Amino acid sequence: QVQLVESGGGSVQVGGSLKLTCRFSGASFSGISMAWFRQVPGKEREGVADIRISGASTISDSVKGRFTISRDIAAMTMWLQMNNLTSEDTAMYYCAAGRGAILTAPHLWTYWGQGTQVTVSS
């Protein structure tokens, strides 16, 4: 049974940093892309960043220059380093995994974590 477990969320002040971690388990990691999405109540889930098996990544324009995605294939772990956080980054952040999925299509991602809350306050 595939599991994605996020950690690292919390409360931080504007301008602060957080690093989210997502651990994948329960299946082969071969060919798996991973991504971070976020969602605010009442709004659609938004793609933040993804990273493919090749190591290539896509970062959403809304966080480009502030967020960095990385992964360790051997450890089946992905991270999202979030710097210079703003109140608009407040959301539930979800880890996702799948094959052939793209950041702009959340419905194509097969596996999802339970989410970790990020709250940015002034």
Side-chain angles (χ1 to χ4, degrees), residues 25-101:
S25 64
S28 169
F29 206 50
S30 175
I32 292 287
S33 297
M34 297 186 76
W36 289 99
F37 289 82
R38 65 187 182 185
Q39 190 167 22
V40 175
K43 293 190 176 182
E44 291 188 356
R45 194 163 291 192
E46 173 194 12
V48 176
D50 72 5
I51 186 163
R52 275 85 71 194
I53 194 66
S54 64
S57 62
T58 302
I59 308 291
S60 167
D61 286 343
S62 63
V63 304
K64 197 168 290 183
R66 301 186 297 119
F67 289 14
T68 303
I69 189 170
S70 59
R71 72 190 285 179
D72 183 329
I73 293 175
M76 297 196 293
T77 301
M78 172 181 67
W79 297 274
L80 184 70
Q81 176 67 48
M82 306 185 295
N83 298 327
N84 195 20
L85 286 160
T86 74
S87 57
E88 293 186 352
D89 296 318
T90 295
M92 184 71 77
Y93 283 72
Y94 296 92
C95 171
R99 293 185 174 87

Side-chain angles (χ1 to χ4, degrees), residues 3-24:
Q3 274 196 316
L4 295 175
V5 179
E6 303 103 331
S7 61
S11 296
V12 64
Q13 290 191 322
V14 170
S17 298
L18 284 173
K19 188 172 186 176
L20 306 184
T21 300
C22 175
R23 291 184 172 83
F24 178 100

